[in-house]
Amino acid sequence: MQRIPKRFLLYLFLFLFTFTILSSCTRTNASIIAKEAQEHGTEKKSVLLEACELVKVTDGDTIWVKPKGAENSERFKVRLIGINTPESVHSDKTKNTKEGKEASKFLKALLEKYDTLYLEYDEAQYDKYERTLAYVWLNNTFTDSYDDFKAYNLGAILIANGHAKPMRVKPNTKYAELYDRVENEAHNG
């Protein structure tokens, strides 16, 4: 049996250690409790969020992002989980609607105010079109409160403003009931 040189093991260890540190730099552990949340008695959500920068808005429920601080070559397409907006960029132009274009315009105007978006994944991370599936949050200091959900979850904001409808696609149904609640409130005042 051939012996593995110590220098090789040292380099391997340094590579793995550096890779682990660098890969965790773009992730924010959302289990840290914000002072404000502590003062108000609400608990911080315990989820892992990936910090990203917006590259572009494709339509009302699809965006392109890149990991925070990464090169453009690392960008990827994200389909928002749990919602659906009317078509605005379908290859069959007859399927594109005025409402779809309004949803896309609303999303572009909203997201231009944010330097960082936060992705939360559910059970399935990709769809059959190889798009990343994620819930998109506008900040990483939200609590378990319903008010924070409505204020910072991008899908909830689109539903509340009449630009999207809830859509359940198993297994990604973590916030399905909350999306239904937002829609009911939007329709019933």
Side-chain angles (χ1 to χ4, degrees):
M1 186 165 98
Q2 191 175 13
R3 202 173 149 151
I4 300 173
K6 288 182 182 179
R7 181 176 283 191
F8 174 78
L9 292 174
L10 176 64
Y11 288 131
L12 179 63
F13 172 78
L14 289 173
F15 171 78
L16 292 174
F17 177 77
T18 303
F19 178 78
T20 303
I21 296 300
L22 291 177
S23 66
S24 67
C25 287
T26 61
R27 299 202 180 250
T28 303
N29 187 346
S31 64
I32 299 170
I33 300 176
K35 287 182 184 177
E36 240 182 318
Q38 286 177 327
E39 291 169 7
H40 292 90
T42 56
E43 291 196 25
K44 186 79 174 90
K45 283 194 134 338
S46 186
V47 295
L48 188 63
L49 301 175
E50 183 174 359
C52 292
E53 296 175 27
L54 179 69
V55 174
K56 73 176 185 174
V57 172
T58 303
D59 61 18
D61 53 29
T62 309
I63 60 176
W64 282 85
V65 299
K66 64 179 181 173
K68 190 77 172 162
E71 298 297 320
N72 267 341
S73 61
E74 298 179 44
R75 66 189 193 144
F76 55 97
K77 188 185 271 190
V78 175
R79 172 62 166 83
L80 276 66
I81 299 174
I83 68 161
N84 192 40
T85 62
E87 294 294 338
S88 65
V89 293
H90 197 280
S91 57
D92 178 354
K93 302 288 184 204
T94 63
K95 294 185 178 186
N96 295 330
T97 66
K98 176 184 170 191
E99 294 82 6
K101 291 175 184 168
E102 289 172 359
S104 182
K105 184 178 177 181
F106 175 84
L107 189 56
K108 286 176 186 174
L110 175 66
L111 295 183
E112 72 182 15
K113 303 172 193 169
Y114 293 89
D115 294 329
T116 305
L117 301 174
Y118 299 89
L119 305 184
E120 177 186 358
Y121 303 108
D122 205 336
E123 297 293 319
Q125 193 171 339
Y126 302 98
D127 67 7
K128 64 183 180 181
Y129 306 108
E130 298 180 15
R131 298 176 297 190
T132 299
L133 302 173
Y135 301 103
V136 177
W137 296 89
L138 300 181
N139 77 26
N140 66 343
T141 59
F142 55 90
T143 66
D144 278 330
S145 78
Y146 177 64
D147 288 339
D148 276 1
F149 180 78
K150 289 190 314 184
Y152 303 121
N153 180 281
L154 192 53
I157 293 168
L158 286 162
I159 293 169
N161 285 278
H163 296 294
K165 298 273 187 204
M167 181 178 74
R168 292 177 190 228
V169 178
K170 291 184 179 182
N172 293 344
T173 58
K174 181 176 183 178
Y175 296 119
E177 290 179 19
L178 290 174
Y179 285 141
D180 290 342
R181 182 175 169 189
V182 171
E183 182 182 43
N184 288 336
E185 286 180 5
H187 285 289
N188 300 325

